[in-house]
Amino acid sequence: MTDTHSAAATAETAGAAATPQAGSGATDDVIISIRDLHKSFGELDVLKGISLDIHRGEVVVMLGPSGSGKSTLLRCLNRLEEPTSGQILFEGEDITSPKVNINKVRERMGMVFQQFNLFPHKDALHNVMLAQMKVLHRSREEAERVAREQLDRVGLADRADHYPSELSGGQQQRVAIARALAMDPHVMLFDEATSALDPELVRGVLDVMRELAQGGMTMVVVTHEMGFARDVADRVVFMEGGVIVEEGSPEQIFGNPKNERTRAFIGQL
Amino acid sequence: MTIPSIHSPRGVRRLSLAFIAIALCLTACLGAFAAPRQALAMDIVRCTGRPNSTDDKTVIQGATQSRITFEASIEEGEGVSALTLTIPPDTTFETEDLAVTLLTGPDLMTRNDVAYDLDVKGQNIILTFDEPLDEAGNLNIIVYGVYFPQAGGDMQVEASYRLADGDEHDVEGIPVIPVQGISPTEALSQWLEQQPWVQAWNANRFLHLFLDPTILVTSFPVVLNGFFMSVAIVALAFPLAIPVALVLALMRMSKFVVWRGIATTYVNLMRGTPLFLQIYVAFFGLPLAGIQIPNFPLGVIVMTLNSGAYMCEIFRAGILAINKGQTEAARSLGMTSTQTMLNVVLPQMFRLVIPNLTSEFITLYKDTSLLAAVGVMELVMYARTIVASTGSITPYIVAAVFYLVITLPLSKVTHHLEQRALGGKRRRRKARAAA
C-alpha cells in the first residue's frame, strides 16, 4: 500500500474513489481531505507531505512514536497550527485558504486536548455553555439545556456546578468532551486525550469515546491506547518522521504490519 | 377707646395730640435711663481678657488659660462698701491670687492695696471692703486662672456694688470679652499641656520633637483632611489606570508594529523616568503651554498615567502567564480572539494579578506624597503646614500613621492572597493525585 492518496481528486470524487473502508460505521462520503500537507517550525520539518482522506462516520486512529508529527497534523486540521503548504478540504471547503473564516470552520470541528484545558474560572456547566452562547448565539436557557444534556451523556450530570479544580482529571476530560460536543461538531479531534490521566481514570474517558464512535461520530484520534485503537478504529494510520508510513484496518496493522517500522513500533508494545 | 371719626376736624386734632403725647413719653423714658448714669458712683473703665492664642497675639481662645482684668472708676466720697463681680457662665476661675488694687493719684499711678473679705458664690466673686472706698480712683481687679468656655462667644462680665448707704447699683456698660472657640482637639491639647507627665515627656528633646502629645492631638484632625485627599486621589487614579493599562497591555501584544511601538515607548518612558519628574513636567509644563488644569484633577491624571504603565506590565505578565491551552481551547470552539480574550483570558488574568495589583495600589498611595512638592493638598502637605508653624516633626509622624493605616492591612491582604493562590494550586494538585 502506498502512503499517499491521489491529491488530484476533488473532495466529492475523492469520496467516491476512496479506499474501501475497513470499519462498519463509515460511509464513502469524504469529510476531510488532506493534500500534500507540509508543516515546518523554522528549520524543522514536522510534516513532510501528508495526504489522507477521512470519511464521514469514520474513526481514524493515528499511531506513531513521539515526534512523528501526529499531534501537529491534528492541530493543522483546525489550524491551531498554520500549515506551511498543502491543502485541507473540510466538507468541500479549502480551509487553508486565507479567505476562509476559520472560526466558522472550527464550530464544526470539536477538539479535545491532552491537558483538558477547561476554563478554571467557570464551573462544568458554564464551561459547556460559554461557546454555545458566544459562537452559536444560543440563548442562556438553550445553552444550559444542551450543556446538561451533554454532561449527562458523559456521565457527569451531578458535577455541573463543580469547578475544574474540584474534578478529577478523568472527569475534567469528560467535561471537555461535553464542551466540544455541545457545539454539534461534524468531526471530533482527540489529541492524546488520555495521556495525562492516571491509569485508573483512562477507562471512563475511553468509554465515552467508544460510545461516541458507536453513535456514528467522525473521529480523528491521536492516542497511545492500543486497545482502543484495536477495538474502535475503522482505520489506523501509522506515522513516523512526518510521513504516513502505513495505514490500514486495525486487524491488518496490529496483526500483520507490512512496514518494518510499523512492525517495530507495534512490537515494542 | 373710641375711634375718632375722620369726618370731624376735632377727631383729626385729637389724633395728632396723641402722637405728641407718645413722643414726649419716649423722651422722658430715655432721659430716665440716661440721667442716673451720670450720677453713678462707679463707671466701667475696662473689662478685658488676656490674649492667650499662640498663633495670634490678639486673640482670646476658649478652654485656654487667661485672666480677666476689670477696672472701674470710683467717684470721690461715694463710699463703695462692696463689689460683686459675676464671671460669665461656664467660665472657670481661681480666686487665690485675686488682685484688688485701688489706683489713685493724678495719673492713677499710686497703687493702694485694698483690704476685703472674699466670698465666692457660684460665678459671683463678692468683695466686701473693710473700709468703704471714698477716695477717687480706679478699682482694678484681676482674676487669674480663667478658662473661658471652649465654644467661645461674647463673654459678658457683670458687676454690682453697694454704697455705704446700703443702695445696690449695677455697673453699666461693661464691654463684652470676645472669645474665640477652639476645637475639642485643641482643647485637649491645651489640657495636655498642663499635665505634669506631658511636661516631663516634652522635657526630653527627642520625644518633644518627634512625639509631642499636644501637637499629636492638634495635628490629627488637620492631617486627617490630607488623608482623605490622598485616598481620594488614589481612589480615582487606581480604577482609571486599569483600563489605560489594559489597552496598553493589549497594544504591547498586538500583531501590529505601530501599536506595539507606541505602547512600548510609552511604558518605557513612564517606567524609566521618576514620577517626581513627571509631576514637575505636568504641573509646570502644562501651565506654560497655556493648559490650565486645577491641581487635584491634574494630580489624578499624572498618577493614572504613571500607574497605567506599571499596571500594563502586570497585566501583560498576567496574560502571558495564562496557559496557551486556554486560548487554544477557546479558539478550537470557534470563539474569536476578542471573545477569547474577554471571556477566557482576562477573567483568569485578573484573578492572577490581584496580589500584584494590590502592591501597585500601595505604591500608588504612597506616591501621592510626591504631589506635595507641587502644592497638591494631600497628606504630607497638610502635615508640612503644621510642621512649619510648630517646628515639631510630630505631624509627619501622624502622617506616617495615616499611610500605615492603609498600607499595612493591604500588605496583609496581599500576603494572604498570595498564600491562597499557592494553597489553591497545592489543593488542586492534591485533588488530582487523590482522584
Side-chain angles (χ1 to χ4, degrees):
Chain A
M1 187 183 225
T2 59
D3 59 0
T4 59
H5 289 278
S6 162
T10 63
E12 288 76 16
T13 53
T19 46
Q21 294 307 298
S24 50
T27 70
D28 287 353
D29 181 10
V30 171
I31 188 164
I32 296 175
S33 180
I34 305 163
R35 297 176 182 183
D36 194 27
L37 194 73
H38 288 260
K39 171 66 183 175
S40 49
F41 293 107
E43 295 288 291
L44 183 71
D45 293 328
V46 180
L47 299 180
K48 301 169 184 166
I50 302 283
S51 293
L52 181 71
D53 283 353
I54 294 156
H55 300 81
R56 207 175 281 279
E58 189 181 21
V59 176
V60 176
V61 170
M62 312 247 198
L63 297 179
S66 306
S68 59
K70 24 184 222 308
S71 278
T72 305
L73 174 59
L74 202 67
R75 289 160 62 81
C76 280
L77 292 185
N78 64 356
R79 275 180 52 194
L80 283 183
E81 301 292 354
E82 289 295 336
T84 310
S85 69
Q87 271 188 321
I88 299 166
L89 300 179
F90 175 52
E91 298 189 322
E93 182 184 19
D94 179 6
I95 63 167
T96 55
S97 155
K99 276 175 279 178
V100 81
N101 181 351
I102 193 65
N103 294 321
K104 286 279 153 206
V105 174
R106 285 170 180 162
E107 284 175 26
R108 291 174 277 141
M109 271 189 193
M111 188 165 196
V112 176
F113 299 84
Q114 181 176 354
Q115 296 297 338
F116 333 134
N117 295 341
L118 288 184
F119 308 133
H121 59 299
K122 292 183 179 292
D123 63 19
L125 185 70
H126 288 86
N127 259 282
V128 185
M129 286 169 65
L130 180 66
Q132 293 187 59
M133 296 193 292
K134 297 294 170 192
V135 178
L136 302 180
H137 304 291
R138 285 179 185 159
S139 70
R140 178 166 285 278
E141 294 73 28
E142 168 81 351
E144 183 173 342
R145 189 184 59 72
V146 173
R148 290 196 185 280
E149 209 173 275
Q150 295 300 339
L151 284 174
D152 187 44
R153 184 172 174 183
V154 298
L156 290 172
D158 58 336
R159 294 284 188 275
D161 58 350
H162 284 52
Y163 282 82
S165 60
E166 301 163 340
L167 296 171
S168 73
Q171 290 170 331
Q172 287 189 60
Q173 191 59 295
R174 276 142 69 196
V175 173
I177 294 172
R179 178 173 70 179
L181 289 176
M183 304 297 285
D184 297 328
H186 300 179
V187 176
M188 283 287 284
L189 311 175
F190 290 86
D191 187 7
E192 306 208 23
T194 56
S195 299
L197 296 176
D198 293 333
E200 69 272 24
L201 300 176
V202 169
R203 200 173 148 175
V205 175
L206 289 183
D207 284 348
V208 169
M209 290 168 68
R210 196 170 275 124
E211 270 174 43
L212 210 53
Q214 281 158 4
M217 175 64 76
T218 311
M219 291 162 69
V220 185
V221 182
V222 171
T223 188
H224 295 293
E225 294 295 326
M226 294 306 149
F228 178 84
R230 207 190 307 256
D231 295 350
V232 183
D234 296 315
R235 186 149 52 113
V236 174
V237 175
F238 180 75
M239 278 181 73
E240 192 178 1
V243 293
I244 294 177
V245 174
E246 186 172 356
E247 61 174 301
S249 69
E251 293 80 15
Q252 183 245 303
I253 295 287
F254 288 107
N256 183 24
K258 291 187 181 123
N259 189 290
E260 207 176 300
R261 281 176 291 178
T262 314
R263 202 176 300 136
F265 180 77
I266 300 292
Q268 281 169 11
L269 299 171
Chain B
M1 184 184 161
T2 58
I3 298 165
S5 157
I6 46 166
H7 300 295
S8 85
R10 244 159 104 203
V12 174
R13 201 191 302 156
R14 217 194 288 169
L15 212 92
S16 52
L17 273 173
F19 277 122
I20 291 166
I22 290 166
L24 278 172
C25 217
L26 277 172
T27 321
C29 284
L30 284 173
F33 279 114
R37 200 175 200 177
Q38 276 137 19
L40 281 174
M42 289 187 83
D43 274 331
I44 187 70
V45 175
R46 60 192 168 107
C47 178
T48 55
R50 185 175 177 234
N52 55 8
S53 164
T54 45
D55 300 333
D56 185 340
K57 299 299 178 200
T58 64
V59 166
I60 308 162
Q61 287 179 333
T64 313
Q65 192 174 30
S66 178
R67 67 183 187 220
I68 295 174
T69 304
F70 174 91
E71 195 171 322
S73 65
I74 297 176
E75 298 269 313
E76 188 165 2
E78 287 291 352
V80 175
S81 62
L83 182 91
T84 302
L85 206 59
T86 308
I87 306 297
D90 301 325
T91 303
T92 60
F93 56 93
E94 288 160 10
T95 51
E96 289 99 75
D97 302 327
L98 198 68
V100 183
T101 317
L102 187 63
L103 306 170
T104 58
D107 301 325
L108 299 171
M109 288 301 282
T110 315
R111 306 175 67 91
N112 308 287
D113 282 344
V114 180
Y116 60 90
D117 274 338
L118 175 68
D119 191 12
V120 180
K121 282 184 179 148
Q123 297 298 98
N124 297 322
I125 301 170
I126 304 159
L127 307 171
T128 310
F129 304 113
D130 295 0
E131 301 281 332
L133 307 175
D134 271 332
E135 203 176 346
N138 282 7
L139 180 64
N140 182 295
I141 302 169
I142 301 173
V143 184
Y144 289 96
V146 170
Y147 288 87
F148 291 109
Q150 178 204 318
D154 287 345
M155 297 294 133
Q156 177 71 66
V157 174
E158 289 167 5
S160 67
Y161 58 92
R162 192 164 71 230
L163 294 178
D165 56 13
D167 281 0
E168 293 269 357
H169 297 278
D170 286 342
V171 179
E172 305 280 347
I174 301 174
V176 296
I177 303 169
V179 173
Q180 208 170 71
I182 60 168
S183 66
T185 48
E186 275 176 293
L188 178 62
S189 167
Q190 309 280 9
W191 179 82
L192 280 171
E193 216 170 322
Q194 306 298 320
Q195 303 308 306
W197 70 267
V198 175
Q199 284 160 0
W201 176 283
N202 281 347
N204 180 314
R205 198 191 145 123
F206 182 83
L207 291 176
H208 174 57
L209 194 58
F210 290 95
L211 269 177
D212 184 339
T214 61
I215 296 174
L216 202 71
V217 292
T218 46
S219 54
F220 193 85
V222 181
V223 179
L224 184 68
N225 290 328
F227 171 71
F228 288 140
M229 285 302 279
S230 288
V231 168
I233 291 170
V234 77
L236 284 170
F238 188 77
L240 287 173
I242 290 175
V244 171
L246 262 184
V247 169
L248 283 172
L250 294 178
M251 278 169 77
R252 282 208 73 175
M253 292 185 289
S254 162
K255 278 180 287 187
F256 300 104
V257 179
V258 179
W259 290 139
R260 238 170 31 222
I262 292 171
T264 307
T265 309
Y266 177 83
V267 168
N268 287 340
L269 215 61
M270 292 310 255
R271 279 161 48 104
T273 59
L275 173 58
F276 199 58
L277 190 73
Q278 295 161 18
I279 289 171
Y280 266 32
V281 168
F283 277 75
F284 298 128
L286 290 182
L288 287 179
I291 302 163
Q292 297 290 345
I293 303 173
N295 270 358
F296 182 79
L298 186 55
V300 170
I301 291 169
V302 175
M303 300 310 284
T304 301
L305 294 180
N306 179 269
S307 189
Y310 284 92
M311 258 191 235
C312 161
E313 291 304 278
I314 294 176
F315 288 160
R316 199 168 69 101
I319 291 169
L320 291 177
I322 303 297
N323 193 331
K324 196 163 153 268
Q326 290 291 312
T327 315
E328 287 184 351
R331 297 305 304 271
S332 80
L333 290 162
M335 289 167 73
T336 64
S337 54
T338 311
Q339 285 173 333
T340 304
M341 188 53 83
L342 290 178
N343 295 288
V344 176
V345 178
L346 290 187
Q348 293 185 56
M349 180 277 284
F350 271 112
R351 261 157 252 232
L352 207 63
V353 302
I354 280 173
N356 290 329
L357 275 189
T358 319
S359 298
E360 174 58 24
F361 185 92
I362 292 171
T363 306
L364 186 63
Y365 176 58
K366 288 190 294 184
D367 281 353
T368 56
S369 61
L370 294 176
L371 291 169
V374 288
V376 175
M377 289 307 291
E378 47 63 72
L379 246 171
V380 168
M381 195 63 179
Y382 271 97
R384 200 163 77 178
T385 54
I386 318 176
V387 169
S389 66
T390 60
S392 171
I393 300 300
T394 310
Y396 285 149
I397 305 297
V398 174
V401 171
F402 277 116
Y403 281 110
L404 292 173
V405 156
I406 297 279
T407 55
L408 282 188
L410 276 184
S411 313
K412 201 98 185 141
V413 168
T414 311
H415 180 74
H416 177 72
L417 287 173
E418 276 167 354
Q419 288 300 105
R420 211 177 62 169
L422 290 173
K425 253 181 224 155
R426 222 175 290 136
R427 261 207 311 281
R428 220 167 293 153
R429 222 175 289 139
K430 214 186 281 170
R432 200 174 293 165

